């Protein structure tokens, strides 16, 4: 629940909200309960997952404030929806959802991995990423991208494409140091020379970024 609480803190007030890949439905519950949206759509590709959110939000559904939809990504989500959350999926899956439909008016994305692929897709499409942050929960780090369909973004260097714009003296520093520790531990194993060289290159990249030698 700590991850959900921290993730929900990134959700701005909106008129209509869609939680794509809602599973349990806690994020839509947060929006509705706190009057942060007028109406919510909960959607999931899995009818079984969606049924969990339907049970949680049954009162909002019967009052017409919440609509459940079983579909792939944004397939049945109206593009006029004000804010879309897509969280807890791999970055490639999120890109595939956006590619096969549209970039929502306003979005909060929380990819579990391959965040770089999501950044690249959004930037190539001319979207605006106004917040590219990360938070820690239970010893793991979660990246969050908040943005708008258009407007363009600040410049992304190779390091920012990889790590975003989190706080180097906070969560981003914690994440990078945890990555360094993981990679150094990996180097103690019996590795193929090519793998060893790739890990050393990646360690050097992180160290240079941490020491401000690259931005
Ligand atoms: C790990 S859960 C994350 C639930 C919630 N969004 C969260 O962040 O805690 C991922 C959910 O996304 C759903 N899902 C995966 N791929 C999907 C897609 N292409 N379209 C819609 N839902 C999808 C899964 O069925 C599952 O319920």
């Amino acid at each position: 629940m700590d991850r959900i609480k921290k993730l929900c803190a990134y959700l701005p007030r909106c008129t209509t909200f869609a939680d794509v890949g809602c599973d349990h439905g806690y994020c839509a519950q947060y929006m509705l309960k706190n009057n942060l949206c007028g109406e919510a759509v909960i959607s999931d590709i899995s009818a079984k997952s969606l049924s969990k959110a339907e049970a949680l939000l049954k009162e909002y559904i019967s009052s017409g404030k919440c609509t459940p939809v079983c579909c792939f990504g944004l397939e049945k989500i109206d593009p006029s929806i004000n804010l879309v959350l897509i969280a807890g999926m791999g970055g490639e899956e999120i890109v595939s959802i956006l590619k096969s439909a549209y970039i929502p008016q306003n979005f909060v994305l929380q990819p579990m991995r391959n965040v770089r692929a999501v950044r690249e897709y959004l930037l190539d499409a001319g979207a605006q990423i106004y917040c590219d942050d990360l938070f820690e929960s239970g010893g793991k780090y979660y990246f969050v991208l908040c943005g708008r369909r258009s407007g363009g973004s600040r410049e992304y260097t190779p390091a920012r494409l990889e790590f975003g714009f989190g706080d180097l003296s906070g969560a981003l520093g914690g994440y990078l140091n945890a990555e360094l520790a993981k990679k150094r531990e990996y180097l103690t194993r019996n590795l193929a020379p090519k793998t060893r060289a790739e890990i050393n290159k990646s360690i050097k990249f992180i160290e240079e970024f941490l020491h401000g030698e690259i931005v």
Side-chain angles (χ1 to χ4, degrees):
M1 276 311 254
D2 182 63
R3 179 183 69 87
I4 297 290
K5 201 173 140 202
K6 289 180 174 166
L7 169 63
C8 285
Y10 289 90
L11 293 169
R13 185 180 293 278
C14 61
T15 50
T16 45
F17 171 70
D19 184 357
V20 171
C22 63
D23 195 20
H24 36 66
Y26 294 138
C27 298
Q29 182 189 44
Y30 167 86
M31 293 299 281
L32 288 161
K33 213 172 165 178
N34 292 297
N35 286 315
L36 289 171
C37 67
E39 284 174 37
V41 175
I42 45 170
S43 87
D44 205 287
I45 198 168
S46 147
K48 197 172 160 207
S49 291
L50 185 61
S51 68
K52 289 187 256 173
E54 285 173 314
L56 182 77
L57 300 166
K58 60 178 184 300
E59 278 154 32
Y60 293 106
I61 293 171
S62 44
S63 71
K65 283 195 88 174
C66 181
T67 308
V69 187
C70 189
C71 67
F72 171 90
L74 293 159
E75 207 174 40
K76 295 185 188 167
I77 310 291
D78 197 310
S80 69
I81 291 267
N82 195 212
L83 173 68
V84 172
L85 168 70
I86 312 179
M89 291 175 212
E92 302 293 351
E93 185 69 10
I94 293 179
V95 169
S96 135
I97 288 173
L98 300 177
K99 245 186 204 167
S100 63
Y102 54 88
I103 296 179
Q105 280 179 31
N106 297 283
F107 55 82
V108 174
L109 310 175
Q110 188 252 290
M112 299 300 280
R113 54 197 165 273
N114 295 328
V115 190
R116 184 195 174 104
V118 184
R119 291 190 183 104
E120 282 176 337
Y121 180 73
L122 292 170
L123 296 173
D124 285 352
Q128 181 181 61
I129 307 173
Y130 65 78
C131 167
D132 188 333
D133 198 15
L134 80 170
F135 65 86
E136 183 273 335
S137 176
K140 290 187 183 165
Y141 290 90
Y142 301 92
F143 283 93
V144 186
L145 309 178
C146 308
R148 305 184 179 94
R149 181 183 295 161
S150 58
S153 288
R154 62 192 134 177
E155 194 201 338
Y156 271 75
T157 60
R160 296 296 180 180
L161 264 183
E162 207 60 57
F163 309 129
F165 285 87
D167 182 3
L168 264 174
S169 59
L172 182 56
Y175 166 77
L176 292 172
N177 280 306
E179 284 296 296
L180 281 178
K182 254 194 269 174
K183 287 173 195 289
R184 284 178 184 140
E185 190 282 325
Y186 207 51
L187 283 180
T188 64
R189 301 182 196 181
N190 192 13
L191 301 171
K194 192 174 166 220
T195 311
R196 183 170 294 279
E198 275 165 11
I199 296 171
N200 274 318
K201 193 173 161 198
S202 153
I203 287 177
K204 188 167 173 275
F205 187 56
I206 296 177
E207 284 175 340
E208 285 175 355
F209 183 62
L210 269 173
H211 300 150
E213 290 156 24
I214 52 172
V215 291

